[in-house]
Amino acid sequence: MSASITPPSPAVDSERVAPAWNRQRHSPMPSHRYSDAFSRVSVLLGDERQWPARRPTAAPLWVPVDLRDGNQALAEPMSPQRKRRFFELMVAMGYKEIEVGYPSASQTDYDFVRLLAETDLAPEDVTIVVFTPARRDLIQRTAAAIRGIRNDVVIHLYTATAPIWREVVLGRNRSELRELILGGGRDVLEAAGDLPNVRFEFSPEVFNQTEPDYVLEICDAMTALWDASPDRPVIINLPATVEIATPNVYADQIEHMHRNLARRDSVILSVHPHNDRGTGVACAELAMLAGAQRVEGCLFGNGERTGNVDLVTLALNLHTQGIDPMIDFSDIDEIRTTVEECNRIEVHPRHPYAGSLVHTAFSGTHQDAIRKGLAEHRSRAASEGRSESEIAWRVPYLPIDPADIGRGYEAVIRVNSQSGKGGIAHLLEAAHGIQLTREEQVELAVRVQQHTDATGGEITADEVLRILQDG
């Protein structure tokens, strides 16, 4: 911490009431400048909420928006080659609805949509989503881009609806903005309503900061305008465009819409959480309990500011609960490499599930538990006469079997100065087939500790073997 930062004077906290064991004091941060979420938007459910009693049972419809929302957040937007490679990856993983671009925003996006229209790059069971603001000329260019696409297509129309956006950005009151949005909806009908393979999506951007009565009014008006029906449903997508509250608040907002939307059986209720508070995954998970059927996000969470919700983490969270995510993550390192190359952003080594270190233990207590857990797993598989990949997974500190996502066990335990006898024994067993008694492990651990304390670095299995032999 900088030497210029000094602790607050005790006098500042003279009137503070707190337990004697809590010695934290007021900081100099200007927190008084900000208002809480409840001062900015009404949350109507109260004690009537039902989502806390629900449990996840199935995967939602996943919609990766990497090629649009993710792409527009890149310092260097994707080239046509990178967009194509990313699209092919998502198809191979099993995504069936993909937002492919903002064709009125750039020639590259327009050309990519035309590529899908003029080739067989998109399998026939993949729905193509394109994005447009509620502006007539941009809607017309979007409609021109999708002409000739044989796949199902969703035209995604959006407009910001929250008070501060209305007042500061758009300069329109509630009734004026309602007419602008409905005008955009009519333009979409005029431009593409005759196409039998086209459906519509509406996002009241900044939904989570919009008055509940107003957002419900606008969404119901759009589903009526577009004549939503069970055989041609409308997607109502409710973004937490900028996170401002704890995830339970977003869940309450989603459940309110789920219970009050008109034509509910003709509406696909979708969510699009961002991650400004670092709780995008939690927002999406609770929103699904609250009635969301579809989730928009990005692989590894790329997007404006702190990103969109991470579809990899969300899906593998379901996997660890025994729920099929309906997407193939069996080669996570190939997925990560492709996304890194297309986005030119590295995935953090401790990113959930996919990071290079997430299955690695350096701590001695962790290593000992993992080593014993892997041994028990192998023994149980042998006693049941079944494959290790088939039996229930219950290895301490490893919430997922690394083999499920294409990884081995070589890097599960690595040894440095924080490690203990269990990790050292694991290295020798895994690399050299050497098994030591407990007494030998304790004696060797002392000498390995002396070595790692002196070097300050990691030690390899060969170096451990050399220390053992020199003993």
Side-chain angles (χ1 to χ4, degrees), residues 94-394:
Y95 289 106
K96 298 301 182 185
E97 190 163 315
I98 302 172
E99 191 166 87
V100 299
Y102 193 156
S104 65
S106 75
Q107 190 63 43
T108 298
D109 274 26
Y110 185 91
D111 290 344
F112 187 74
V113 177
R114 292 310 304 155
L115 175 70
L116 298 178
E118 295 163 3
T119 68
D120 294 326
L121 184 60
E124 62 181 16
D125 63 346
V126 172
T127 297
I128 303 301
V129 184
V130 290
F131 189 74
T132 181
R135 209 176 90 187
R136 185 176 178 84
D137 59 327
L138 303 183
I139 290 169
Q140 289 173 337
R141 182 160 175 78
T142 302
I146 66 166
R147 289 280 170 177
I149 293 182
R150 294 172 294 279
N151 301 67
D152 285 348
V153 176
V154 171
I155 296 179
H156 181 178
L157 181 76
Y158 82 98
T159 301
T161 54
I164 191 170
W165 273 257
R166 295 196 307 262
E167 297 161 9
V168 175
V169 181
L170 301 172
R172 295 173 186 261
N173 61 32
R174 283 174 50 145
S175 60
E176 290 169 339
L177 184 60
R178 182 182 191 276
E179 185 48 42
L180 182 149
I181 292 170
L182 289 174
R186 287 189 287 269
D187 290 339
V188 167
L189 274 178
E190 179 184 321
D194 63 315
L195 301 176
N197 62 324
V198 174
R199 291 185 290 109
F200 307 125
E201 173 178 358
F202 173 63
S203 285
E205 191 190 1
V206 210
F207 154 79
N208 60 320
Q209 296 184 53
T210 302
E211 306 94 325
D213 66 314
Y214 184 60
V215 76
L216 190 62
E217 173 191 334
I218 295 294
C219 290
D220 285 347
M222 292 299 284
T223 56
L225 174 67
W226 286 337
D227 193 23
S229 62
D231 59 345
R232 197 177 185 182
V234 166
I235 300 163
I236 294 295
N237 183 56
L238 304 175
T241 308
V242 180
E243 273 197 305
I244 65 164
T246 49
N248 60 294
V249 172
Y250 188 53
D252 281 354
Q253 293 173 313
I254 297 302
E255 185 171 328
H256 173 72
M257 296 294 287
H258 168 58
R259 290 163 61 174
N260 290 284
L261 278 167
R263 304 188 184 215
R264 185 63 187 88
D265 63 345
S266 303
V267 170
I268 300 169
L269 188 57
S270 175
V271 292
H272 183 120
H274 276 256
N275 197 45
D276 300 87
R277 291 168 53 92
T279 59
V281 167
C283 280
E285 291 183 321
L286 298 191
M288 287 189 281
L289 299 180
Q293 301 157 292
R294 179 182 183 270
V295 177
E296 297 184 355
C298 287
L299 274 66
F300 307 114
N302 179 45
E304 300 283 5
R305 305 177 312 280
T306 55
N308 292 285
V309 67
D310 174 10
L311 296 187
V312 176
T313 300
L314 264 177
L316 289 175
N317 281 356
L318 289 178
H319 177 67
T320 66
Q321 301 301 300
I323 299 169
D324 181 0
M326 311 294 282
I327 301 293
D328 185 2
F329 294 97
S330 60
D331 192 349
I332 197 69
D333 290 325
E334 175 63 23
I335 294 168
R336 187 186 68 182
T337 298
T338 300
V339 173
E340 287 178 330
E341 291 177 356
C342 291
N343 285 341
R344 299 188 175 170
I345 298 174
E346 291 186 4
V347 172
H348 195 280
R350 298 208 183 276
H351 193 101
Y353 303 110
S356 58
L357 291 177
V358 297
H359 301 119
T360 302
F362 291 101
S363 161
T365 54
H366 288 212
Q367 291 175 341
D368 185 60
I370 290 171
R371 175 172 170 263
K372 291 174 180 175
L374 289 172
E376 189 276 340
H377 187 79
R378 290 190 294 269
S379 175
R380 184 159 38 92
S383 67
E384 294 179 14
R386 300 167 64 197
S387 166
E388 292 178 27
S389 64
E390 295 177 350
I391 64 171
W393 179 257
R394 59 184 194 192

